[in-house]
Amino acid sequence: MTDNTVAGHGPHPGRALAELLRNWWESSARDGREKPTQQSLAKRLGIDQTTLSRYLNPSHSSNAPRRVVEQLHTVLRAPADDLVRACALAEAAAGAAPGRRRTAVAQPPGRSAGSGAARTAGSAAAGAKEAATSAGSGAGGTTGPVTAGTGTAVAEVPAPVGSAGDPGPGARRWDRFPVAFPTLAVSALLLLVFGGLAWWAVPAPGRDDARTTAEVTDRPSQGTAWPLARKGNVLWKARTVQLLLRAHGHDVKVDADYGPATAEAVKKFQSAHGLTPDGKVGKDTWPLLIVAIDSGTKEPEAVTAVQYLLHHAGVPTDSTGAYTPSTMRSLKEFQSSRNLPVTGVGDEDTWRALLNAQGPDQHK
C-alpha cells in the first residue's frame, strides 16, 4: 500500500506535489491552446514518458526533482504563485523518501540485512546445531562435520549418533534443509515474476493510464509517402485539408470532419489544377494543396495547419496563425528529429514528414 504520510504525521508532500503537477497539466488547455500530450511533454523535458506519468499520477507520491518541477511550470504556463509551493513540496518529498527506506530495512540488534532465504537458512543452521549438541550430550555420541548442499549455508556442527545406522534426530532435521531452502527461493522468484506480469497485463483501478492512452492515440505512422485523405476522415486529416483549402480561398468550415462540403471543395480545387476531380487528397493533390511556410507566408490558415501538425507530432507549438520565432524553432526541432535539412522552412519534404508523424487514421 502506498505510504501517504511522513512517519504517520500528516499528508506526504509527494502526494500533494503529484496533485499540483497533474492540475497544471490538466489546466494547460486554455486561451486557445491545446493541452500537450504526455508524449510531447516528456520529450520537451528530456525524460521518458513512463517517468513523467509517474510524476503526474496523484495515486502515488511524486518524486519529481526541482529541475523538472520548474520546467513543467514554465512549459505548462502554470500560475506564478504555484512555483514556490511546488519547489517546497519537491524538496520536502526528496527529504522524506530516505526516512521511509530506513524504516523498511531496519533490523534488530545483532542481525544483518540480507536475503530472506539466507537469514532463514542461518536460523535453521543454528537450530540444527543446538539440537545436534543436545542429542550428542544425552547419548554420548561422536561429532563430525555436517555440510549443506550447493547454494545453502555450510556449518560445522556435531553429528550425533544414536544406534548403529541412525544418525539421530538432530541430524535428521538438518537433512531436510539443503532441499527445502533452494526450493523456497526458486518458488519466491517465480511468484515475483508471475506477479509482475499479472500487474502489467491487468489494469488496476486508479492506475494511471496516461501512458497507455498516449501509445494508442499518439503512435506515429512509419510511412514516408503522402497519406490519403478522403470523405469520412475525421480529426487531423480532415482539419489539415480544410485549413489548406481555406488558405487557397475555398470557404469551408474547419470542423475536423471530411464531409460532403469538404469533398466538393477538394473537387473544385482539383479541377482548377488539371487533376481528376475525385474529392480525395493523395500523392497528386497534396503537393499542390500545401503552402511553403516561412517568415513571408501570407496565409495564416496554412501556418495554423503546420503549427497544429507540429504540436500533434510531439513538438509543443502554439496555434497563432503567424510564423513566429517559436514556430521556426519548432520546425527546426522537428526537421532535426526526422533527419531533414534544418532550415525552419515548411517545405514539401517537411509537410510530408509532418503528415506521416500523426496518429492513426480516424474515420466516422
Side-chain angles (χ1 to χ4, degrees):
M1 180 178 296
T2 303
D3 183 10
N4 297 324
T5 64
V6 178
H9 297 296
H12 194 286
R15 173 62 67 87
L17 177 61
E19 293 177 351
L20 181 59
L21 298 182
R22 184 75 177 202
N23 184 60
W24 287 357
W25 180 53
E26 295 290 353
S27 304
S28 62
R30 60 182 182 274
D31 301 329
R33 295 186 295 115
E34 297 186 27
K35 181 176 74 174
T37 64
Q38 288 196 16
Q39 180 189 37
S40 63
L41 191 56
K43 182 176 180 181
R44 185 77 173 268
L45 299 176
I47 60 178
D48 63 86
Q49 186 179 335
T50 302
T51 300
L52 178 62
S53 296
R54 189 164 60 248
Y55 291 162
L56 301 180
N57 185 1
S59 299
H60 302 281
S61 296
S62 177
N63 61 344
R66 178 168 180 155
R67 175 188 65 81
V68 172
V69 171
E70 292 174 344
Q71 287 180 310
L72 281 170
H73 184 270
T74 301
V75 172
L76 298 176
R77 300 185 183 181
D81 295 341
D82 284 359
L83 181 58
V84 174
R85 176 170 174 254
C87 290
L89 288 172
E91 293 176 358
R100 295 200 305 276
R101 288 195 293 270
R102 285 195 296 271
T103 302
V105 300
Q107 300 294 331
R111 292 181 61 184
S112 61
S115 67
R119 290 196 297 272
T120 305
S123 300
K129 181 175 181 179
E130 180 182 354
T133 302
S134 175
S137 299
T142 61
T143 61
V146 178
T147 305
T150 303
T152 60
V154 179
E156 187 85 3
V157 301
V161 179
S163 60
D166 182 4
R172 285 199 300 272
R173 181 194 302 175
W174 173 251
D175 287 343
R176 294 196 296 271
F177 296 146
V179 175
F181 289 114
T183 303
L184 287 174
V186 172
S187 299
L189 179 60
L190 290 175
L191 182 61
L192 286 173
V193 171
F194 286 112
L197 291 175
W199 180 90
W200 181 261
V202 180
R207 183 186 299 169
D208 182 24
D209 59 355
R211 181 183 62 81
T212 303
T213 302
E215 287 177 353
V216 172
T217 59
D218 295 332
R219 186 186 305 115
S221 167
Q222 299 301 315
T224 56
W226 291 105
L228 178 64
R230 61 188 186 278
K231 186 176 177 181
N233 284 139
V234 294
L235 301 181
W236 65 271
K237 280 188 179 180
R239 184 182 294 276
T240 303
V241 169
Q242 290 166 342
L243 285 169
L244 288 173
L245 284 171
R246 289 185 66 85
H248 284 279
H250 294 269
D251 186 17
V252 295
K253 184 179 180 180
V254 182
D255 58 3
D257 184 353
Y258 201 129
T262 301
E264 187 61 31
V266 170
K267 290 180 181 179
K268 291 180 181 179
F269 177 84
Q270 290 171 324
S271 295
H273 289 81
L275 300 175
T276 302
D278 58 3
K280 301 176 183 178
V281 181
K283 62 182 181 64
D284 296 324
T285 305
W286 278 117
L288 298 174
L289 189 61
I290 62 171
V291 176
I293 303 300
D294 55 26
S295 58
T297 303
K298 304 299 183 183
E299 297 83 1
E301 295 90 349
V303 178
T304 299
V306 163
Q307 291 169 335
Y308 170 80
L309 293 173
L310 281 167
H311 187 81
H312 288 272
V315 183
T317 309
D318 292 333
S319 294
T320 62
Y323 184 90
T324 61
S326 175
T327 301
M328 180 178 66
R329 286 193 297 270
S330 295
L331 272 169
K332 287 183 176 181
E333 179 181 340
F334 176 79
Q335 289 169 331
S336 176
S337 70
R338 297 283 163 155
N339 295 320
L340 295 171
V342 182
T343 61
V345 175
D347 55 13
E348 183 172 319
D349 289 339
T350 302
W351 271 99
R352 186 167 60 248
L354 278 170
L355 291 168
N356 278 292
Q358 304 305 304
D361 203 0
Q362 299 288 335
H363 300 274
K364 288 195 294 185

